[in-house]
Amino acid sequence: MKSRKLAKVAAVIGVSVLVIVALAAVITQTATFHRFLLATVIRKAEAATGGRVEIGGLAFSWRGLRVDFYNVVLHGTELPAERPLLAADHLAVGVKILSVWKRQVDLNEILLDHPVLSLQIDLAGRNNFPVAPSSTGETNSNNNIFDLAIQHVRVQSGDIYYNDRKIPLSADVRDFHAESSFSRLAQQYKLSAAYDQGVLTYQNLKPIPHTLSVRLTATRSGVTVDQIVASTNKSNITMSGQLNDYANPSLNGVYVTKVDTADVAGILATAARPAGQFQIRGNISYKPAGHNSFIDGLDADGVLDSASLRVRTSSANGELRAIHAPYRLVNGTVYVRGAQAQTLGGRLTANYQVAHLDTTPQSRLDASAQGIAMRSVAEAFLVKGMPEIAMSAKANVKVQATWGENIQRGSARANAVISTDDTRHSKTEIGRAHV
């Protein structure tokens, strides 16, 4: 008898659950429920961001516990005729119930289709972000991105527009896409992001078309940047590194930059016709420097190398070979020590320093040229009619110069000695100059 009663109770409970699930499935598809859900989502989104939110429509899937929002718009402080801060054709949010009794729910998936992000900064430095309400203290500080454990995030066909009128700097990015996944075992996110159509414009320079790709791994303790690659037509920069401690961040990384001078000429829109490539490689680190500026916390060292750089203009045709220039940035000062190159039949060496980069830069240059062939000088600068004795001469030059923000107000000293070999193979000085 007892077993029959238990069976009946179980059957009643099962039927009741099925009825509730069926009713829930029906209710979630009604227009009334959609309006209620839309109003609730908009209210919470506006409370969290401080901006006005619009959502054109939604669709709810009970089977997959997924909500699809369409024509989502977040307004900032932009004017009515300007693009909103953020707009997206489609936003999908999927959840996964881990435990009904413990009320544990995971964000299983977030999909964002064709988001358009518009960032603006005016001449006074004001941006178009809405003013988010201050925290009430009710938010659990442990509810960070790792506690959310979002299993899969995908952004596709995104556009980004950035316009800083204070610098001025602007950037347009098309076809941005990103994807991330979360590992519960390792408690880490893996992220990849890239775009193939980017244009950067700075002041009066020509627009710089480029591409960018990023791969990184984020844990609770920091971020490992596996690789960042930015490329133009023939040039690129590759970086990797480690960011530690979100609260008090420090950075260590390495970088390699390969530059084709044809790209530089195209950006500068210069009449000169440069040719050749150079490479810059080195290490970089950052640690907060108390109340000092950001640049005071930077420490970078590296070297610039090039086999050959050539420049041709209407009045000159020159070449630098075997270029080697070690450098160091520390405590807001740049040091270039022992830079050297070969040119005009001789050898150049130089030391260069720029102090107080964050305030009022002060520069100093000590350079020398040894064994410069006057015949090579005449050929490089298209000089004709030089006497043969001068053509066979060689020059040694030393230069010392210092200047501040305006190089025209600096000071310089130069010493040049020109000598030639006579028929008895002894050197004869034929000119000396001090400036």
Side-chain angles (χ1 to χ4, degrees):
M1 293 292 292
K2 289 183 178 180
S3 60
R4 290 182 180 178
K5 288 182 179 180
L6 290 175
K8 289 181 179 180
V9 171
V12 170
I13 293 175
V15 171
S16 300
V17 170
L18 289 175
V19 170
I20 292 172
V21 171
L23 287 173
V26 172
I27 291 172
T28 56
Q29 302 305 321
T30 63
T32 301
F33 176 78
H34 284 189
R35 286 194 296 269
F36 166 77
L37 184 57
L38 266 180
T40 302
V41 170
I42 290 174
R43 184 175 68 254
K44 289 185 176 293
E46 290 182 339
T49 63
R52 182 166 62 88
V53 175
E54 299 176 14
I55 301 177
L58 66 82
F60 183 84
S61 173
W62 178 260
R63 179 182 300 176
L65 291 180
R66 168 170 157 161
V67 183
D68 292 271
F69 301 96
Y70 298 94
N71 300 322
V72 180
V73 179
L74 171 62
H75 292 277
T77 59
E78 73 277 354
L79 297 175
E82 295 175 332
R83 289 192 187 97
L85 176 62
L86 177 64
D89 292 350
H90 172 230
L91 168 63
V93 180
V95 298
K96 179 180 180 181
I97 298 176
L98 299 179
S99 172
V100 175
W101 309 113
K102 295 181 180 180
R103 294 182 294 179
Q104 291 182 342
V105 177
D106 256 2
L107 274 175
N108 190 46
E109 189 173 50
I110 296 178
L111 306 177
L112 193 59
D113 292 320
H114 192 209
V116 179
L117 179 64
S118 300
L119 305 175
Q120 299 180 31
I121 299 177
D122 63 18
L123 294 173
R126 295 184 296 262
N127 60 50
N128 62 331
F129 292 166
V131 180
S134 58
S135 175
T136 60
E138 298 176 359
T139 303
N140 185 351
S141 60
N142 292 325
N143 277 338
N144 56 34
I145 189 68
F146 295 96
D147 293 316
L148 290 174
I150 306 172
Q151 299 299 303
H152 180 223
V153 177
R154 188 176 71 231
V155 178
Q156 54 191 16
S157 302
D159 295 340
I160 301 174
Y161 300 95
Y162 176 81
N163 185 16
D164 189 331
R165 284 175 282 183
K166 186 177 181 180
I167 294 180
L169 173 70
S170 66
D172 292 348
V173 171
R174 305 291 177 87
D175 195 26
F176 172 84
H177 49 277
E179 191 157 2
S180 76
S181 60
F182 180 75
S183 169
R184 280 189 167 278
L185 182 62
Q187 285 291 294
Q188 67 180 21
Y189 283 97
K190 282 193 170 294
L191 170 70
S192 62
Y195 59 82
D196 298 325
Q197 302 178 51
V199 178
L200 182 69
T201 304
Y202 176 68
Q203 292 188 348
N204 296 323
L205 300 181
K206 280 195 170 184
I208 306 170
H210 64 282
T211 65
L212 179 71
S213 64
V214 178
R215 289 190 292 107
L216 57 85
T217 303
T219 66
R220 292 180 183 269
S221 59
V223 175
T224 299
V225 180
D226 302 308
Q227 189 179 68
I228 299 176
V229 180
S231 302
T232 59
N233 184 27
K234 297 180 180 180
S235 308
N236 64 75
I237 178 170
T238 302
M239 302 178 64
S240 61
Q242 180 74 40
L243 174 69
N244 299 308
D245 191 355
Y246 298 111
N248 190 31
S250 62
L251 171 70
N252 292 283
V254 297
Y255 58 91
V256 177
T257 302
K258 298 178 180 179
V259 178
D260 191 300
T261 53
D263 286 348
V264 178
I267 295 169
L268 298 177
T270 177
R273 289 175 289 174
Q277 298 81 34
F278 62 88
Q279 176 178 278
I280 303 172
R281 66 185 189 278
N283 306 293
I284 186 170
S285 65
Y286 170 78
K287 291 182 179 179
H291 297 291
N292 295 331
S293 66
F294 170 80
I295 201 167
D296 283 335
L298 281 176
D299 190 334
D301 64 84
V303 61
L304 182 152
D305 286 303
S306 176
S308 173
L309 294 177
R310 301 181 300 278
V311 177
R312 176 175 294 180
T313 67
S314 58
S315 58
N317 182 14
E319 180 182 13
L320 291 172
R321 299 182 305 279
I323 303 169
H324 180 76
Y327 60 88
R328 174 83 185 273
L329 166 63
V330 60
N331 297 325
T333 300
V334 174
Y335 301 92
V336 180
R337 292 172 176 163
Q340 54 188 297
Q342 297 174 7
T343 188
L344 301 174
R347 181 169 177 265
L348 303 178
T349 59
N351 294 320
Y352 178 59
Q353 175 181 319
V354 186
H356 313 303
L357 284 173
D358 58 331
T359 54
T360 305
Q362 298 292 322
S363 301
R364 177 183 175 88
L365 172 67
D366 293 276
S368 66
Q370 301 293 324
I372 301 299
M374 298 306 295
R375 186 180 302 276
S376 298
V377 173
E379 291 173 352
F381 291 92
L382 310 180
V383 177
K384 297 181 179 180
M386 184 180 292
E388 182 59 30
I389 188 172
M391 292 285 283
S392 63
K394 291 190 176 182
N396 297 327
V397 182
K398 290 185 178 180
V399 176
Q400 291 182 334
T402 58
W403 64 92
E405 290 184 292
N406 189 342
I407 192 172
Q408 295 180 346
R409 296 181 179 179
S411 61
R413 291 187 302 169
N415 179 33
V417 177
I418 301 175
S419 59
T420 185
D421 292 340
D422 60 21
T423 57
R424 293 168 297 177
H425 304 288
S426 61
K427 288 188 176 180
T428 301
E429 184 176 306
I430 62 173
R432 179 181 293 269
H434 301 277
V435 180

